[in-house]
Each structure stands twice: as structure tokens, then as C-alpha cells.
Amino acid sequence: MKDLRPTQVNRTLDEWHALACTFLSSDLKCSPVASSPTRASDSVRVATWLPSGPPDQGGTCPGCTPYCHRNDDGKLTCYARRLELGRPSLERKTATRLDTWNALGLGEKITLAAAIIDAAYRSQVEPGPLSTHAGHPVDRPILRIGAGGDLATRQDGEAWAAALHWAGIYRPTLRAWLYSRSYGLDPGDADPLGPIADGIRHGSITNTAAYLSCDPEMIERTRRALRGRYAHLPVAVLADDHAQ
């Protein structure tokens, strides 16, 4: 990696890379590598995942609503939380990641976020001889931010915004995206999604699609967001059916 200057240089680049790899999860829904003609491969980790749920319950979703975590006929709406509860090892792993992340200052978070981007990028475009896609590098590498969890704090948004700006310069073929409810909070100027949304609007972040996640309990919050700071972002709606 180039031009990464953390506030505290307490790790080598190799150590940052190793730490970054522990923050990546596979996501079969968006994997760019196939393990067979009909199945995506889980061998290439292209997503971040932190604990789901409200912060007062150990999660990273300050903008979640009761709809997200309702229990409908014994099934939670939030698929990420369902997976965490059904896989204790995943729940422990995401909690460890969050403890590590929260122990860092802003400069170190920027460095780690950039290292996560770089690790995901390299796993796709520089496959090793034992990789599922050995000899077939991915032309359009991707990163999904928040397959589970969300941006918990304004500082988290600042860190990812800076790292995504770096990636636009040094990893220009990579595309990132995220669905977030960390907008329209009180006070709105401290929204975790704000720095990324501002970067996209001002052109300093050119490689990222940020979707305003919405459900029936937050329609008005999303409408207000679209009348102001987030007018340029698309909306992804969680609903029970198409008519809703």
C-alpha cells in the first residue's frame, strides 16, 4: 500500500494486512468467483461484518428500527442477526472484530480500513496457485462494507471515507458498496454515513455506491434525508412485498 500514515505507527504493513484479513468474511450473494458453474465460491472474502443490532445491545446499527429486529413467526427480519445467533462462532468473531476496531484511533482506523480494502482487492486480482480462481484474476474486484452491522459512529464514517478516497487513487478498479441506516439521526450532522455521502457528492469518493436502507417504520426519516444531505443517494427499501 502507498501513502498510509497512521497516527501511531505500531504495526508493519504485513501486520496490518494480517489484521485486515481477520476482518473479511465471505458473501455468497456477491462473490465474484464461482466454485462451480452454478455456485459462488466462499473462498474469496469480499465483505466486512461487524455485530448487528442497536449499540446498547452490543451492535453497530444506531439507525436500526424495531422492524429490523422484529420476530415474525419465529424468524428475525434482520438476516445478519439471524446468522449471528445461529452461528455462535460468527457472533464471537464479529464481537472480537468490534473490540479491535474500537480500540483504534482515527488514523489507525483509516489504515485498517485501507488494509481491508487492499486485502479484498489482492485476494481477487492476485489469486495464489491454490485459489479457486487460480490463473483467472477478477477484472472487477469488489468490497461490500457491512454484510452484517453498519457504521456505528461518525469516526467510523470518517475512517471509511478516507480509505475509500485512497482506494480510488491506488485501487481504481475496485468498487465498494454499502446499505446503511446510519443517516438522519439526532444530531444529523454527526451521522456516521455523512462523511461517505459527502465524499460521493463532492467527488472525492468515486468508487462507492451508498444506499439509504429503509423500512416501513422509517419512511419519513428517509424522505427528510432525501430532501437534504442525502438527496444524491439511491434508496433500498425493506418491505414485506412489492406493493408495500
Side-chain angles (χ1 to χ4, degrees), residues 36-119:
S36 74
T38 60
R39 180 174 171 78
S41 172
D42 61 1
S43 64
V44 181
R45 294 178 291 173
V46 295
T48 68
W49 192 312
L50 292 176
S52 304
D56 62 1
Q57 297 179 22
T60 57
C61 306
C64 68
T65 70
Y67 186 96
C68 302
H69 298 283
R70 64 179 183 162
N71 193 317
D72 187 13
D73 295 328
K75 184 178 181 180
L76 285 173
T77 299
C78 178
Y79 73 89
R81 188 59 185 150
R82 288 203 308 268
L83 288 172
E84 291 165 10
L85 291 173
R87 301 177 185 177
S89 61
L90 173 62
E91 186 173 36
R92 289 192 297 270
K93 181 178 291 186
T94 60
T96 298
R97 289 172 179 171
L98 183 59
D99 287 343
T100 300
W101 176 263
N102 284 341
L104 303 177
L106 176 59
E108 292 174 310
K109 285 182 177 179
I110 294 171
T111 301
L112 178 54
I116 291 169
I117 294 170
D118 191 59

Side-chain angles (χ1 to χ4, degrees), residues 3-14:
D3 291 345
L4 299 183
R5 298 185 175 90
T7 53
Q8 300 177 37
V9 184
N10 56 356
R11 290 182 175 93
T12 67
L13 287 180
D14 286 343

Side-chain angles (χ1 to χ4, degrees), residues 152-171:
T153 68
R154 166 81 184 197
Q155 189 182 77
D156 294 349
E158 292 173 345
W160 276 105
L164 290 166
H165 172 68
W166 170 87
I169 299 170
Y170 295 108
R171 302 292 180 261

Side-chain angles (χ1 to χ4, degrees), residues 191-212:
D191 283 351
L193 183 61
I196 294 176
D198 294 346
I200 293 172
R201 184 176 71 249
H202 296 146
S204 60
I205 297 175
T206 59
N207 54 2
T208 301
Y211 295 86
L212 301 181

